[in-house]
């Protein structure tokens, strides 16, 4: 056949086919912050036109020339496996670049930078004239000079600001070195607040959900999986590709400050929740890794919920975890049977964080050091026995110098005598890959030189590359090398969209647990006259020492209350009183008093779960763990000492309202972070609803019957402080529980609906298994 014999239109068609078969299989769109390349068969590529990165065309497909050498290197080739790309890139990196990759920044506010002070062009943010999405001087320094690529977000001004900050940071790092993108992360940020309001069809800044213990009250792993799926989409729209969660410690000591961040003390429930959470975050649309995936950093290995007497290891007074029941096995289950055995295509949680604690006397060698420093817990057990080859990142601040028993943020437990560089070296050789809360590559490079001196450069370089490969795989898997940039309009449409808000609100309703409904006082009718007394919020301090002054507040806005019933201003006019209180508050340094220590006492105090003053007549003496070093305390007993909580006023408010109401019913809404001794008031009231921290609107929906209560206790309510002292810190569900005037035991998996005690499949699955232990 000769082309000259074909009709004109046929020649044009053939020419079009020939040209199309030779041309690129991609198109490029220029945007405000970045250019976007779309393939007909391949991933989207995003790059900044100002970064110096060019686009290479190979086999008609587009690739980013991240190291700007004019060639397609294996790590730039998105057709290769994650393992091949990570190994190639790690081999190309200098020791300085690997050291930077092993850093994880301190907490960063957007805008505002780090908590230890930040500047913008040398000035405080408020005086700088900078845009809220501009990088601080310190952020530019740790990204460029220290080669840091893992940034921890705290507060962000808005989704738009987060997206624009991400784009600025990614454009900066794309143009330097090997073009490794930033892997931004976040602690949990979806917690509902009391004064949030849900409106059907309305969006918000981010969807609002119960905290972990509240989600555990649903006894529904599928709800947690759904949360993970939605939260991961919102995270990616904010530029966040790693979640510093879930916290799967078994909260086997009811006094622990971080109880509410866990799924409770039950191994079976926590294991199922851990698996569902990680699957939800890591699985993209097809069930495996993808552009909607978020790396999950499961914490805290090998379980941080066994601090002696409930004390927390953020402080020196809480550095010892104890195991009087010899029950480490239960604490490992949420990791090895849950987060490491996923149902989705990602297989296992991509990262693990050890806790600050010294897991006392569990290392057969007798080495009592913080878990991140422990070769036994990381190299021998986590990596060896359980075969874990993902990233292991220390908790924040473990390499900093100890500054005292009650100082927050410096936690080198068990290695206080080592230098900062020596601590880094010990962590690397124990099998960890990354240093939480360290912006400075200097100590990592010093640690490298120590390794070279001990093992030689070849062996130490191989050890550093091993960590680099693990860290890079988590960046490759979620697609950041292809497109780390965000469309601001898409971000604002995704984060807090109405569908996500509705799902979160539904989860809040499922977290509320009805414990008492004497005489059928609930649900409240629309015509009910309800008295809600003001509550005194005592002064408080957060982990960082920021003080919130005390104040009197109305627990429910009158306008909101009026949608549900008829609010009245005093008990005399009311049919029912509704009293809002919180569980006993011990303060941020619960279990220790520095002023007391300065007077010659050991400084240790009980942590109380009751409102009245508590004298610890049954506390153990001597303590199970202690530190014989000068300036520390070996016997940390608090036997016969007195504990006073800051909000005894809550108990007084309940009892005062009962007196004012006379023979009319009183319903208490108890917001809790820890199990609570309710014996002090339960016999005086008719209704008791447990709130793990949700919107008031959700509470009112339950109280008025708009929704039937379905939550179950994911914990035990202790009968007294005596049983709290007698239980073992490492053994789940081993307390005598409170029994109310209706004869109901406030035990794990107990809850009421309008028909009475809930006895459904959830109770059968988890309650019976727990009862058999």
């Amino acid at each position: 056949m000769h082309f000259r014999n074909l009709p004109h239109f046929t020649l044009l068609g053939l020419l079009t086919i020939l040209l199309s078969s030779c041309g690129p299989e991609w198109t490029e769109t220029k945007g405000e912050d970045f250019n976007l390349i779309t393939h007909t068969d391949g991933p989207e590529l995003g790059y900044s036109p100002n970064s110096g990165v060019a686009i290479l065309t190979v086999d008609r497909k587009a690739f980013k020339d991240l190291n700007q050498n004019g060639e397609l290197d294996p790590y730039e080739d998105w057709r290769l496996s994650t393992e091949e790309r990570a190994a190639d890139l790690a081999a190309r990196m200098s020791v300085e670049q690997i050291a930077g990759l092993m850093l994880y920044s301190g907490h960063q506010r957007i805008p505002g930078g780090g908590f230890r002070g930040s500047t913008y062009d040398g000035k405080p943010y408020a005086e700088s004239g900078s845009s809220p999405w501009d990088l601080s001087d310190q952020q530019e320094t740790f990204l460029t000079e220290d080669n840091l690529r893992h940034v921890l977000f705290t507060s962000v001004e808005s989704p738009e600001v987060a997206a624009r900050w991400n784009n600025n940071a990614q454009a900066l790092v794309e143009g330097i070195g090997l073009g490794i993108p930033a892997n931004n992360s976040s602690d949990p940020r979806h917690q509902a607040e009391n004064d949030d309001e849900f409106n059907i069809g309305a969006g918000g800044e981010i969807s609002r959900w119960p905290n972990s213990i509240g989600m555990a009250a649903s006894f529904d792993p599928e709800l947690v999986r759904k949360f993970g799926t939605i939260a991961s989409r919102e995270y990616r729209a904010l530029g966040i590709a790693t979640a510093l969660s879930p916290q799967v410690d078994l909260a086997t000591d009811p006094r622990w400050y971080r109880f509410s961040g866990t799924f409770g003390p039950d191994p079976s429930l926590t294991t199922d929740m851990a698996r569902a959470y990680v699957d939800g975050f890591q699985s993209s649309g097809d069930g495996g890794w993808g552009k909607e995936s978020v790396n999950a950093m499961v914490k805290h290995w090998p379980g941080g919920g066994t601090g002696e007497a409930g004390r927390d290891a953020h402080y020196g007074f809480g550095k010892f975890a104890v195991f009087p029941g010899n029950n480490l096995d239960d604490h490992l289950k949420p990791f090895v049977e849950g987060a490491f055995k996923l149902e989705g295509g990602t297989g296992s949680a991509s990262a693990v964080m050890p806790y600050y604690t010294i897991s006392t006397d569990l290392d057969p060698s007798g080495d009592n050091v913080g878990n991140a420093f422990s070769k036994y817990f990381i190299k021998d057990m986590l990596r060896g026995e359980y075969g874990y080859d993902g990233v292991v990142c220390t908790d924040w601040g473990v390499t900093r110098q100890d500054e005292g028993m009650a100082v927050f943020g410096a936690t080198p437990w068990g290695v206080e005598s080592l230098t900062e560089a020596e601590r880094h070296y010990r962590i690397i050789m124990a099998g960890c890959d990354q240093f939480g809360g360290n912006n400075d590559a200097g100590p990592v490079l010093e640690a490298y030189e120590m390794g070279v001196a001990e093992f030689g450069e070849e062996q130490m370089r191989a050890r550093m590359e091993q960590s680099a490969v693990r860290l890079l795989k988590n960046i490759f898997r979620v697609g950041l090398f292809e497109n780390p940039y965000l469309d601001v309009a898409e971000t604002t449409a995704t984060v807090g969209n109405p569908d996500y808000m509705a799902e979160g609100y539904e989860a809040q309703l499922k977290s509320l647990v009805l414990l008492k409904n004497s005489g059928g006082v609930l649900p409240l009718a629309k015509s009910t006259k309800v008295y809600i007394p003001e509550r005194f919020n005592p002064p408080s301090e957060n982990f960082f020492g920021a003080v919130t002054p005390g104040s009197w507040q109305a627990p429910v806005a009158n306008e909101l209350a009026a949608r549900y019933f008829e609010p009245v201003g005093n008990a005399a006019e009311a049919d029912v009183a509704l009293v809002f209180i919180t569980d006993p508050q011990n303060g941020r340094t619960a279990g220790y008093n520095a002023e007391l220590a300065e007077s010659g006492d050991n400084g240790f105090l009980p942590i109380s779960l009751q409102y009245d003053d508590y004298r610890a007549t049954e506390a153990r003496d001597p303590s199970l763990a202690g530190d014989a070093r000068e300036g520390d305390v070996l016997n940390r007993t608090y036997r016969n000492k007195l504990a006073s909580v800051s909000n005894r006023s809550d108990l007084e408010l309940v009892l005062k309202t009962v007196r004012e109401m006379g023979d009319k019913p009183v319903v208490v809404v108890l917001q809790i972070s820890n199990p609570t001794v309710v014996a002090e008031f339960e016999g005086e009231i008719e209704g008791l609803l447990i709130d793990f921290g949700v919107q008031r609107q959700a509470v009112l929906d339950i109280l008025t019957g708009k929704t039937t209560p379905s939550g179950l206790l994911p914990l035990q309510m202790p009968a007294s402080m005596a049983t709290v002292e007698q239980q073992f810190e490492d053994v789940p569900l081993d307390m005598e529980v409170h029994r109310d005037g209706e004869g109901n035991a406030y035990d794990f998996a107990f809850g009421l609906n309008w028909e009475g005690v809930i006895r459904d499949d959830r109770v059968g699955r988890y309650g019976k298994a727990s009862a058999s232990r």
Side-chain angles (χ1 to χ4, degrees):
M1 179 181 292
H2 299 284
F3 286 159
R4 66 172 177 267
N5 296 327
L6 293 175
H8 179 64
F9 70 88
T10 306
L11 288 173
L12 285 176
L14 284 172
L15 182 60
T16 300
I17 292 171
L18 288 171
L19 289 173
S20 65
S21 66
C22 297
E25 295 180 349
W26 52 270
T27 58
E28 182 170 356
T29 304
K30 296 183 178 181
E32 179 182 356
D33 297 326
F34 65 97
N35 292 355
L36 184 68
I37 289 174
T38 304
H39 281 96
T40 56
D41 182 21
E44 291 183 337
L45 306 183
Y47 75 102
S48 169
N50 301 316
S51 68
V53 167
I55 297 300
L56 304 174
T57 301
V58 177
D59 297 333
R60 301 170 59 217
K61 301 184 186 300
F63 302 87
K64 294 163 67 173
D65 184 16
L66 291 167
N67 60 5
Q68 303 179 43
N69 67 353
E71 300 177 2
L72 178 61
D73 298 304
Y75 86 92
E76 299 165 334
D77 189 345
W78 45 261
R79 298 169 299 182
L80 300 180
S81 70
T82 292
E83 290 72 19
E84 290 175 287
R85 298 178 74 187
D88 177 72
L89 179 51
R92 296 171 184 273
M93 295 175 71
S94 68
V95 170
E96 289 77 13
Q97 289 169 326
I98 294 175
L101 193 65
M102 296 173 78
L103 303 177
Y104 222 126
S105 83
H107 299 74
Q108 302 294 310
R109 297 165 294 181
I110 311 297
F115 286 98
R116 298 176 185 270
S118 294
T119 56
Y120 293 75
D121 292 328
K123 300 177 181 178
Y125 171 70
E127 301 172 12
S128 67
S130 298
S131 297
W133 46 78
D134 289 341
L135 276 62
S136 72
D137 299 335
Q138 291 73 24
Q139 289 165 352
E140 290 187 2
T141 296
F142 65 56
L143 289 171
T144 57
E145 297 180 16
D146 292 289
N147 296 295
L148 183 149
R149 290 298 179 271
H150 293 81
V151 182
L152 173 59
F153 284 5
T154 55
S155 61
V156 295
E157 184 175 291
S158 68
E160 177 189 357
V161 167
R164 292 187 183 279
W165 185 94
N166 171 80
N167 290 350
N168 284 339
Q170 300 294 4
L172 174 64
V173 298
E174 184 176 75
I176 57 179
L178 295 163
I180 299 172
N183 182 358
N184 304 321
S185 69
S186 175
D187 282 308
R189 59 192 315 114
H190 284 82
Q191 170 67 53
E193 301 291 342
N194 291 156
D195 56 358
D196 289 339
E197 184 171 349
F198 172 68
N199 294 300
I200 295 175
E205 287 196 350
I206 200 165
S207 62
R208 295 298 182 184
W209 297 72
N211 59 13
S212 290
I213 195 65
M215 284 194 279
S218 74
F219 279 61
D220 182 4
E222 286 307 310
L223 180 148
V224 174
R225 190 188 313 274
K226 182 181 292 184
F227 163 71
T229 299
I230 289 173
S232 67
R233 291 170 182 167
E234 292 185 305
Y235 271 27
R236 291 306 300 266
L238 292 168
I240 296 167
T242 295
L244 302 189
S245 57
Q247 185 183 338
V248 302
D249 313 88
L250 291 188
T252 46
D253 192 289
R255 297 163 289 191
W256 189 29
Y257 187 93
R258 303 187 70 176
F259 193 106
S260 65
T262 75
F263 294 115
D266 182 73
S268 297
L269 180 61
T270 298
T271 296
D272 288 350
M273 294 298 198
R275 184 185 306 110
Y277 190 110
V278 178
D279 263 331
F281 266 89
Q282 291 190 171
S283 296
S284 194
D286 61 357
W289 292 106
K291 63 181 182 180
E292 293 178 340
S293 297
V294 170
N295 293 291
M297 185 180 292
V298 62
K299 57 189 185 182
H300 304 86
W301 179 265
T306 70
E308 185 164 18
R311 295 185 291 265
D312 184 70
H314 277 88
Y315 301 94
F317 59 77
K319 63 185 173 183
F320 293 106
V322 295
F323 294 82
N326 193 29
N327 190 38
L328 176 64
D329 287 349
D330 269 351
H331 293 263
L332 298 180
K333 287 177 181 177
F335 297 92
V336 302
E337 297 179 15
F340 298 170
K341 291 185 178 179
L342 303 181
E343 295 173 353
T346 64
S348 174
S350 65
V352 172
M353 183 188 295
Y355 204 40
Y356 300 112
T357 45
I358 296 170
S359 298
T360 308
D361 294 337
L362 293 186
D363 184 342
S365 74
D367 192 21
N368 281 319
V369 294
N371 295 310
F373 300 97
S374 172
K375 174 181 175 292
Y376 173 71
F377 280 109
I378 306 303
K379 189 172 184 179
D380 297 347
M381 183 182 289
L382 178 59
R383 297 212 185 276
E385 182 176 355
Y386 295 108
Y388 184 76
D389 194 39
V391 168
V392 178
C393 176
T394 76
D395 212 330
W396 264 234
V398 299
T399 59
R400 296 178 191 147
Q401 186 60 38
D402 180 18
E403 297 180 18
M405 191 77 81
V407 176
F408 175 82
T411 53
W413 308 141
V415 294
E416 291 91 342
S417 63
L418 299 183
T419 66
E420 186 177 12
E422 288 170 339
R423 292 179 193 132
H424 282 76
Y425 182 49
R426 174 147 186 174
I427 287 168
I428 293 171
M429 302 317 291
C432 296
D433 305 299
Q434 199 165 29
F435 305 95
N438 180 11
N439 303 348
D440 181 7
V444 185
L445 294 171
E446 287 185 64
Y448 173 76
E449 294 301 331
M450 293 176 187
V452 171
E454 183 171 359
F455 297 107
E457 187 164 7
E458 182 179 355
Q459 185 172 336
M460 195 58 194
R461 167 77 196 196
R463 172 64 193 90
M464 297 285 277
E465 279 193 33
Q466 183 182 45
S467 286
V469 168
R470 291 173 182 146
L471 291 159
L472 290 169
K473 282 162 70 174
N474 286 357
I475 306 177
F476 278 113
R477 283 168 174 155
V478 297
L480 290 175
F481 275 90
E482 277 58 72
N483 184 17
Y485 296 95
L486 300 172
D487 182 314
V488 175
E490 188 174 323
T491 290
T492 56
T494 299
V495 181
N497 74 51
D499 290 342
Y500 295 171
M501 298 295 288
E503 294 282 6
Y505 187 74
E506 182 68 22
Q508 292 180 50
L509 293 169
K510 292 179 179 179
S511 75
L512 291 156
V513 183
L514 182 63
L515 293 185
K516 187 173 185 179
N517 189 20
S518 181
V521 63
L522 299 173
L524 302 174
K526 173 69 174 174
S527 59
T528 307
K529 295 180 178 179
V530 179
Y531 169 52
I532 306 176
E534 284 194 336
R535 176 182 176 269
F536 179 69
N537 287 322
S540 62
E541 285 184 274
N542 67 12
F543 253 155
F544 300 99
V547 176
T548 301
S551 63
W552 284 94
Q553 292 182 354
V556 181
N558 200 62
E559 179 182 335
L560 177 62
R563 299 181 199 169
Y564 291 88
F565 40 69
E566 184 179 342
V568 296
N570 56 70
E573 299 178 61
D575 301 317
V576 176
L578 189 55
V579 184
F580 289 81
I581 61 174
T582 65
D583 57 355
Q585 302 294 300
N586 288 270
R588 70 182 180 95
T589 57
Y592 185 79
N593 185 295
E595 293 180 2
L596 192 63
E598 291 173 0
S599 70
D601 187 273
N602 73 358
F604 287 82
L605 292 171
I607 298 175
S608 179
L609 302 182
Q610 69 180 40
Y611 296 95
D612 271 328
D613 288 352
Y614 162 61
R615 189 169 296 280
T617 57
E618 299 191 38
R620 65 169 66 103
D621 185 9
S623 60
L624 293 177
D627 192 332
R629 293 179 307 123
E630 183 178 353
D632 214 302
V633 178
L634 179 60
N635 184 2
R636 299 179 168 213
T637 185
Y638 50 84
R639 190 167 190 170
N640 292 321
K641 291 185 181 179
L642 193 70
S644 298
V645 300
S646 64
N647 63 326
R648 189 185 185 280
S649 55
D650 277 344
L651 175 62
E652 294 169 354
L653 179 63
V654 172
L655 299 180
K656 176 176 179 287
T657 305
V658 168
R659 292 193 299 270
E660 291 175 344
M661 290 294 291
D663 60 358
K664 294 182 289 186
V666 174
V667 175
V668 169
V669 177
L670 173 59
Q671 182 174 330
I672 67 172
S673 299
N674 293 81
T676 301
V677 178
V678 297
E680 294 170 300
F681 64 85
E682 178 275 319
E684 305 296 325
I685 64 174
E686 285 67 39
L688 179 58
L689 183 71
I690 301 300
D691 165 17
F692 293 104
V694 299
Q695 297 167 227
R696 286 285 188 251
Q697 189 176 352
V699 171
L700 297 179
D701 276 352
I702 293 287
L703 291 174
T704 58
K706 289 186 70 173
T707 301
T708 299
S710 63
L712 303 171
L713 273 181
L715 47 80
Q716 293 178 312
M717 290 295 223
S720 65
M721 279 304 297
T723 192
V724 173
E725 295 289 0
Q726 292 159 6
Q727 58 88 36
F728 284 170
E729 285 90 340
D730 61 325
V731 175
L733 307 173
D734 60 341
M735 293 189 294
E736 177 189 357
V737 300
H738 177 78
R739 191 172 292 274
D740 70 13
E742 307 289 303
N744 292 318
Y746 293 177
D747 207 344
F748 179 79
F750 171 75
L752 302 174
N753 57 27
W754 304 136
E755 286 71 46
V757 177
I758 297 172
R759 294 184 176 90
D760 58 18
D761 291 344
R762 298 171 301 159
V763 178
R765 179 176 181 181
Y766 296 107
K768 290 179 181 178
S770 299
S772 68
R773 277 198 292 272

